Amino acid sequence: MNLKRVGNQTVVFANPPVILSSYSVVGPKEGQGPLGKTFDAVWQDNINGNTSWEIAESKMLEAAIQGAIEQTKLKSDEIDYMLAGDLLNQIISANFAARSVGLPFIGIYGACSTMALSMALGSMLIDGQFARNVVVGVSSHHDTAERQYRLPTEQGGQRAMSAQWTVTGAGSLVLAQSGTGPRITAATIGRVLDYGEKDVNNMGAAMAPAVADTILNHMHDLNRNPKDYDLIVSGDLANVGLALAKEVLKKSGLDMGNEFTDCGVLIYDSSQDVHAGASGCGCSAVVFAGNIMKKLTSGEYKRVLLVGSGALHSPTSSLQGESIPGVGHAVVIEA
Amino acid sequence: MADEKGVIRMAGKNLRPPTIEVTPQEYQDLSKLMTPKPTLAKNIIRAFIVGGLICAFGQLVINFLTLVGLERSEASTAATAFLILLGALLTGLGVYDDIGKFAGAGSIVPVTGFANSIVSPALEFKREGYVMGVGAKLFTVAGPVLVYGIATSIAVGIIYYFIH
């Protein structure tokens, strides 16, 4: 009775869930970036009149989720689950957004891989006939992440060249049993890999082996190769991690070619002084909900592989000298 | 894979194939090679210029204060207080982190940087209240400097006492 499982780690959906709608909200820096025009809403500043960064992040996630739901014209009692997560301790952004949205809520944590993870789980719920419609969403916020993981935001210092800039953004999708839109056809849940990277300013390097492992297994399970995709995009490896993942895959016999890129490389340009690129749950969420969804809908992309990448450490584990485990979760989206 | 302390840490040995054909050691070498190095020369020159400017400004204040009649030691104390005020003010205005991004150690080491390291957590953690926020978090950045600075001065004081 393992009909939908293929190979070692992959599920292929019998009735691929449809992405009915998508919505993205970002901060000003993301709005000024090269993908600025693809987002549904751009805030003028990072706090948007709220009383704290944390409340602002939660409101941003709520706005993304409500935005995605409104576009579908579905009534709220037709949506069976909300799946959401973020980077803050005890995933408070998602919890507080769920309090306002009022749907049955499954909180998930996969660090920055949470968007791809929520898409995979939401699709499993729908294809498994546990739900008709599911809304998924994630958020991250530059200032909440800085103060939780690093230093006070007004502290004057220099960031490492390999450091990544946490995206202020929230993205959301409504997945459904039927309807029109791109479909999620398969998902590969990743294993947690740790190749000993300890530098919290080099998270791309910590996550690259796990992303490479997931891509290898995905191709192996489905007997595909990178040429079968119009786009293979990782979540937030940024420049250092993407180069490492390509190199590692090449050494493992998989030449990725030019179709392999990274949301953390796409969202900012070099003039924005972000060093290695972007990070955060919101990074892959808003790039997918904005840019990639538009290109899937327009037919420019026929088949996309989104590989969310997560660094599964905490400030405590890093202070205690532990290395950073990484994970990659992949979902296939077809127009 | 267990390291010398017996801690299970790295995957790669016992994973079901296929997996990446790189050992943790090879990966760490590769990562070192591909991670961009800090721009040392640029950072040092900027730190030297900005740090020097802050100190020269401090000296100007001292000179001015002695000119208007303060004792040398009093002028020095007053100038330090003035620089601390300036560092705090620029942090509050949201300018000091931009200076710090440009100058690095050049604006961290002078006393203005110390002011920045106290005022930035004070601003940051005000939302968690004055006791558990500002009160408890005020020295998150400067705390280690104070602890080891004071500890060293005590040790030096004891040594000085026995030598004389």
Side-chain angles (χ1 to χ4, degrees), chain A residues 8-9 51 53 147 153-158 191 194-197 202 205 208-209 213 217 248 252 273 322-323, chain B residues 9-12 16 18-22 24 27-28 31 35-37 94 97 101-102 104 116-117 120 124 127-128:
Chain A
N8 292 319
Q9 291 171 226
T51 51
W53 307 122
R147 72 201 297 259
T153 47
E154 291 299 329
Q155 174 72 31
Q158 287 169 333
R191 308 186 276 198
D194 187 341
Y195 272 64
E197 180 60 58
N202 199 358
D213 179 68
N217 276 284
V248 162
S252 312
D273 195 26
E322 293 298 321
S323 51
Chain B
R9 192 161 278 158
M10 291 174 201
R16 161 194 48 67
T19 187
I20 54 174
E21 288 163 24
V22 180
Y27 183 73
Q28 277 166 36
S31 166
T35 301
K37 305 279 172 293
D97 57 329
K101 200 167 96 180
F102 177 82
N116 171 247
S117 73
S120 60
E124 189 71 58
R127 288 175 187 133
E128 279 85 354

Side-chain angles (χ1 to χ4, degrees), chain B residues 94-134:
Chain B
V95 177
Y96 206 87
D97 57 329
D98 297 327
I99 300 174
K101 200 167 96 180
F102 177 82
S107 61
I108 293 172
V109 176
V111 74
T112 47
F114 190 74
N116 171 247
S117 73
I118 304 280
V119 175
S120 60
L123 289 170
E124 189 71 58
F125 295 104
K126 209 181 101 204
R127 288 175 187 133
E128 279 85 354
Y130 284 101
V131 178
M132 294 314 289
V134 175

Side-chain angles (χ1 to χ4, degrees), chain A residues 5 13 18 37 50 52 80 140 151 159 164 240 258 282 308 325:
Chain A
R5 264 186 58 96
F13 300 113
V18 180
K37 290 198 166 37
N50 292 288
S52 70
D80 298 314
S140 59
L151 289 166
R159 300 163 63 245
Q164 296 168 237
V240 178
N258 292 330

Side-chain angles (χ1 to χ4, degrees), chain A residues 183-216:
Chain A
R183 287 172 179 269
I184 300 177
T185 53
T188 304
I189 299 293
R191 308 186 276 198
V192 177
L193 257 67
D194 187 341
Y195 272 64
E197 180 60 58
K198 288 185 176 182
D199 185 358
V200 289
N201 291 313
N202 199 358
M203 287 194 292
M207 299 185 288
V211 168
D213 179 68
T214 299
I215 292 175
L216 268 179

